Amino acid sequence: MIEVRRLEKTFPGKHGLLGHDAVKAVQDVSFRIPDGGAVSFIGESGCGKTTIGRILAGLENYTAGEVLVDGQNLATVDRRQREAVLRRVQLIQQDPYQALNPARTIEQALSDPLKVMAKARGADTAWILQRMEEVLGLVGLEPEAVVHKYPHMLSGGQRQRIVIARALTVEPSVLVADEAVSMIDVSLRLGVLKLLRDLREKFHISLIFITHDVASARYVGEDGQMFVIYKGMIAEQGPTDDVILHPQHPYTQALLSAVPVLKGLESPGSDRYIPLKELDHGQSPENACLFAPRCPFAQPLCETERPALQGASGHQYACHYPQERHVVAVALKE
Amino acid sequence: MSAEWPLKANTKAVGITIRDLEVVYSTGQGQVPAVNGVDLDIAGGQITGIIGESGSGKSTLAMAIMNAVPHPGRIVKGSVVVDGVGNMLTLDKESQRRARGRNLGFVFQAAQNSLNPLTRVGHQVLDLGRSHNVKDLRGLLRRAKELLHRMGMDADRVLTAYQHELSGGMRQRVGIMFALVLDAQVVILDEPTTALDMLSQASVLEIVRSIHEERDITTILITHDMGVVADLADRVVVMYGGELAEEGETAEVLAHPAHPYTKGLIQAIPRISGDLSQAVALSGSPPDLKTFMQSGCLFYDRCPERVAECQVKRPPYESAGPERKVACFRVMPHD
């Protein structure tokens, strides 16, 4: 179980010629994930969702707030405990091409963490080999077909499966998947998403799924919670299908509108809209809604007061003028 | 010498006729056919989406239309006739060069990296103009500004910017501006949205759609994402292992896919509404070297509907109804 309270991360500014102001990457983000649960963070590039994942995986410090993994506070546990805690949280990154050493075979890549595990439990080489076959089987790969290969000999989907297998060697309780399928051919994505879903169901591994693609977030965590992040803050949160089918925040609606409509099978939602203006990475005024400059429904109040999360406890949104709009494509009847 | 750059927009949509096109790559293991005997008519004024996985030959096909297949690839035979230009494969080098940019605009995969990092965008517009004998360079810049503005950008800022000062979505728009600024009648977009997030993707697609409609150009969209094609294209062409598997009108193909590969691609799209169990992953791996050596159907290893015949004979690419072609033994021709 992971619990995060009022997480904040500010990257310090720099002085000088190439200087920039401090960047508030994450502000006031709280959530909890039960064992085997799923939480997805949705947003554009640069919205801070990757920073949240990196903090959970222990790769980034945070400025304020609390991160509790199975009740242990990351900031206060001693170093050795911290290592043990973080081993239970494994990060799967976007690019399987860079995550694997091109000069080492799959067998070598997998045996390193397994050797550490074997040493810890006093197991022998036979255990390592058996465990390797096990994890490869779990990710849907034929052990004999891949162990002697180098990463370049595998497809993108297979490589990402190897990365997931390597994460599984240390028996994690949480996987943090950061854009884990966006580098893979669309035709092979669903296979990897299904694998993540199966790992949740079979082994009770919790999943933190970070993506810009609402549809894949829904696929892996239909029963979980969805957090829509904009400029480091939560714009909308709630049960996944609730957020998708009854979006209240205009930003959530923009993200849902961006999902391609399949001609011949669907018609676009009646309120679909796509903002042409790009995300600006500058500082936003403290007292304005972060999304106001791009929001087609912005009112004067949005420029002068930042909205707090409101709504029933399950489904909340940070908007002064929440309104459900029909932006999701509708299936055509045959 | 070349004629003056025309000031008015083109009025007639340009079609492309590809016949028996074959492109091979020379590798250590011999010659690999990347595009194999492709016959394709790209109708003028339409958006044609060419879809395929990595290694399906779709990008090679796009480069072959420009007669710009990079080494070690080589066009072995065939013809690519662009209306009003001629056969790109037999034109002299100088006419080819002029056709690229002026008649055929190309937006590269990873347009992020196709700009010169050392000069400002505005200078690159001027360079492009000079290399195409544009006399009215001021007019050209004005046109570039119009296009950038049209795409929701601050044109003055972009023209004075270096590429590293622009985000991925903005660079992709700048790439589209370059493809259109000389008034090309055909625009080829190679994976225009691959490195972008969903919102940037949607806005780039929206831009392509509205510019296409305004200018009555011919748009060719190369992608591995069925969703992108399904949203934007008028016609879909499905490529597999360097050959065409299926083509037809988009709504028709989506609603009634005929080739098992097309069916697989459509089923593999996760949706945001409806039953999740309807999404089924495509099994197997994309075509590789071994696939090309097969005498039977290229899709045989992954096909859920295969029969004995498929292993020994390659199905011909045949008409399967109006405006529809399929290469599969399991599909009965309608006419």
Side-chain angles (χ1 to χ4, degrees), chain B residues 22-27 31-35 60 69-70 72-76:
Chain B
E22 188 173 334
V23 184
V24 298
Y25 280 95
S26 308
T27 67
Q31 306 249 322
V32 180
V35 174
T60 307
V69 176
R74 195 162 51 86
I75 298 174
V76 182

Side-chain angles (χ1 to χ4, degrees), chain B residues 77-122:
Chain B
K77 63 175 185 193
S79 63
V80 176
V81 177
V82 180
D83 291 353
V85 176
N87 185 348
M88 278 302 283
L89 306 188
T90 53
L91 278 180
D92 63 272
K93 282 258 178 328
E94 179 57 23
S95 314
Q96 273 181 38
R97 188 186 70 80
R98 253 182 287 141
R100 291 183 209 121
R102 189 163 288 208
N103 303 92
L104 305 169
F106 201 95
V107 182
F108 288 91
Q109 186 167 6
Q112 284 82 330
N113 310 322
S114 65
L115 296 169
N116 182 342
L118 299 177
T119 54
R120 296 175 199 276
V121 171

Side-chain angles (χ1 to χ4, degrees), chain B:
Chain B
M1 280 308 290
S2 69
E4 180 106 356
W5 174 53
L7 275 169
K8 63 172 176 14
N10 300 284
T11 45
K12 196 183 160 298
V14 172
I16 298 175
T17 312
I18 301 169
R19 284 294 171 267
D20 200 20
L21 184 67
E22 188 173 334
V23 184
V24 298
Y25 280 95
S26 308
T27 67
Q29 286 112 315
Q31 306 249 322
V32 180
V35 174
N36 194 6
V38 165
D39 290 328
L40 181 62
D41 293 314
I42 292 169
Q46 286 202 324
I47 302 180
T48 302
I50 300 178
I51 180 165
E53 287 165 285
S54 315
S56 65
K58 58 190 191 303
S59 291
T60 307
L61 176 63
M63 294 310 274
I65 293 174
M66 312 266 293
N67 193 4
V69 176
H71 184 79
R74 195 162 51 86
I75 298 174
V76 182
K77 63 175 185 193
S79 63
V80 176
V81 177
V82 180
D83 291 353
V85 176
N87 185 348
M88 278 302 283
L89 306 188
T90 53
L91 278 180
D92 63 272
K93 282 258 178 328
E94 179 57 23
S95 314
Q96 273 181 38
R97 188 186 70 80
R98 253 182 287 141
R100 291 183 209 121
R102 189 163 288 208
N103 303 92
L104 305 169
F106 201 95
V107 182
F108 288 91
Q109 186 167 6
Q112 284 82 330
N113 310 322
S114 65
L115 296 169
N116 182 342
L118 299 177
T119 54
R120 296 175 199 276
V121 171
H123 281 143
Q124 294 178 55
V125 174
L126 293 175
D127 285 345
L128 179 74
R130 288 191 199 103
S131 71
H132 283 270
N133 286 322
V134 174
K135 297 289 188 294
D136 181 12
L137 288 174
R138 248 171 234 272
L140 184 71
L141 273 182
R142 196 165 50 237
R143 195 181 287 252
K145 270 191 198 177
E146 271 168 30
L147 279 165
L148 292 170
H149 184 72
R150 175 77 200 60
M151 295 189 261
M153 295 200 286
D154 177 351
D156 291 316
R157 209 204 113 200
V158 172
L159 286 178
T160 55
Y162 291 96
Q163 68 143 23
H164 71 266
E165 295 171 306
L166 305 172
S167 72
M170 287 164 92
R171 281 179 221 172
Q172 200 57 269
R173 288 166 212 219
V174 170
I176 294 172
M177 179 274 287
F178 273 107
L180 288 168
V181 73
L182 288 180
D183 248 326
Q185 304 100 311
V186 178
V187 176
I188 303 170
L189 301 122
D190 189 6
E191 300 279 11
T193 61
T194 298
L196 304 180
D197 63 52
M198 286 304 249
L199 261 188
S200 305
Q201 163 172 306
S203 56
V204 166
L205 296 182
E206 217 35 57
I207 285 165
V208 171
R209 192 198 317 269
S210 59
I211 287 182
H212 172 86
E213 278 164 12
E214 264 165 42
R215 303 190 151 214
D216 196 22
I217 51 180
T218 304
T219 304
I220 302 172
L221 176 75
I222 315 269
T223 178
H224 65 98
D225 191 339
M226 194 55 149
V228 169
V229 171
D231 192 306
L232 191 64
D234 301 309
R235 280 184 76 75
V236 186
V237 178
V238 182
M239 257 189 113
Y240 192 81
E243 298 184 6
L244 303 187
E246 179 163 6
E247 68 178 278
E249 202 243 314
T250 306
E252 198 46 42
V253 171
L254 265 288
H256 309 287
H259 198 287
Y261 178 57
T262 316
K263 288 181 200 166
L265 285 177
I266 296 168
Q267 276 175 349
I269 311 173
R271 307 300 308 149
I272 53 175
S273 59
D275 187 1
L276 274 181
S277 60
Q278 281 177 354
V280 182
L282 197 67
S283 63
S285 309
D288 59 10
L289 275 176
K290 265 185 286 174
T291 317
F292 298 115
M293 306 304 163
Q294 264 162 235
S295 59
C297 176
L298 292 167
F299 190 58
Y300 180 78
D301 302 324
R302 301 169 79 181
C303 186
E305 299 177 34
R306 65 189 175 195
V307 290
E309 187 185 18
C310 307
Q311 195 175 9
V312 287
K313 248 170 74 187
R314 196 162 297 184
Y317 191 53
E318 286 176 335
S319 171
E323 302 279 296
R324 193 72 179 276
K325 281 177 158 184
V326 185
C328 180
F329 289 125
R330 304 299 306 273
V331 178
M332 293 293 137
H334 292 300
D335 50 359

Side-chain angles (χ1 to χ4, degrees), chain A:
Chain A
M1 157 114 144
I2 286 192
E3 189 162 2
V4 171
R5 294 190 202 126
R6 312 210 60 166
L7 187 67
E8 264 188 66
K9 171 72 188 178
T10 306
F11 289 102
K14 266 189 200 154
H15 295 291
L17 190 63
L18 296 169
H20 54 82
D21 293 333
V23 178
K24 288 186 174 172
V26 179
Q27 293 181 66
D28 200 10
V29 169
S30 307
F31 59 93
R32 59 195 295 173
I33 312 159
D35 290 336
V39 158
S40 53
F41 291 96
I42 309 284
E44 287 164 279
S45 318
C47 76
K49 57 194 195 304
T50 293
T51 307
I52 297 174
R54 287 177 58 84
I55 289 172
L56 292 177
L59 298 174
E60 199 87 70
N61 292 318
Y62 44 98
T63 320
E66 283 180 336
V67 179
L68 298 139
V69 180
D70 294 333
Q72 284 171 296
N73 191 328
L74 270 196
T76 54
V77 291
D78 66 50
R79 230 180 89 195
R80 210 166 345 114
Q81 269 178 317
R82 186 180 144 93
E83 254 176 40
V85 170
L86 288 176
R87 187 171 296 154
R88 294 206 293 273
V89 184
Q90 288 292 313
L91 180 67
I92 294 157
Q93 272 165 317
Q94 176 172 7
D95 192 350
Y97 299 72
Q98 283 178 20
L100 294 168
N101 185 337
R104 314 196 70 212
T105 62
I106 302 310
E107 184 173 16
Q108 290 169 325
L110 291 177
S111 60
D112 283 350
L114 281 173
K115 277 179 195 156
V116 177
M117 292 297 285
K119 204 175 162 195
R121 58 172 67 201
D124 56 1
T125 327
W127 179 84
I128 294 181
L129 288 176
Q130 182 212 333
R131 186 75 189 131
M132 190 180 302
E133 282 192 13
E134 242 173 70
V135 290
L136 285 172
L138 283 181
V139 298
L141 291 172
E142 206 59 59
E144 307 86 72
V146 293
V147 283
H148 298 301
K149 285 189 172 161
Y150 289 92
H152 76 268
M153 299 158 98
L154 304 173
S155 75
Q158 287 174 323
R159 256 177 281 205
Q160 196 61 288
R161 284 170 197 265
I162 296 289
V163 173
I164 295 172
R166 190 175 56 179
L168 293 177
T169 55
V170 297
E171 295 160 28
S173 49
V174 182
L175 287 180
V176 181
D178 184 3
E179 297 287 10
V181 296
S182 60
M183 298 279 287
I184 306 174
D185 254 24
V186 171
S187 59
L188 303 175
R189 270 182 206 174
L190 198 75
V192 176
L193 293 176
K194 183 159 189 319
L195 167 62
L196 292 173
R197 213 163 84 147
D198 291 348
L199 290 174
R200 276 189 59 206
E201 277 167 19
K202 281 192 212 143
F203 301 98
H204 244 60
I205 294 178
S206 323
L207 182 65
I208 296 168
F209 193 76
I210 298 169
T211 184
H212 57 81
D213 179 12
V214 187
S216 47
R218 173 171 187 255
Y219 189 80
V220 294
E222 190 191 14
D223 53 343
Q225 297 281 313
M226 177 171 275
F227 290 77
V228 180
I229 307 289
Y230 190 73
K231 285 196 153 189
M233 293 189 86
I234 295 171
E236 184 157 2
Q237 68 177 67
T240 300
D241 264 354
D242 225 20
V243 172
I244 291 175
L245 297 175
H246 309 287
Q248 304 289 329
H249 195 290
Y251 181 59
T252 313
Q253 291 158 0
L255 289 175
L256 290 166
S257 298
V259 177
V261 174
L262 306 181
K263 253 182 225 169
L265 298 177
E266 299 171 332
S267 60
S270 51
D271 300 325
R272 189 186 194 208
Y273 77 96
I274 289 160
L276 288 189
K277 223 171 142 194
E278 290 260 311
L279 176 70
D280 70 284
H281 294 274
Q283 283 288 20
S284 307
E286 280 296 324
N287 51 359
C289 170
L290 292 167
F291 189 57
R294 293 168 83 193
C295 182
F297 313 105
Q299 307 279 335
L301 176 65
C302 307
E303 313 280 349
T304 55
E305 195 186 317
R306 183 169 293 180
L309 280 173
Q310 55 154 310
S313 61
H315 182 178
Q316 294 187 301
Y317 24 89
C319 180
H320 289 305
Y321 304 98
Q323 191 192 331
E324 187 176 331
R325 293 182 180 85
H326 301 280
V327 291
V328 173
V330 185
L332 294 174
K333 289 187 188 77
E334 276 284 308

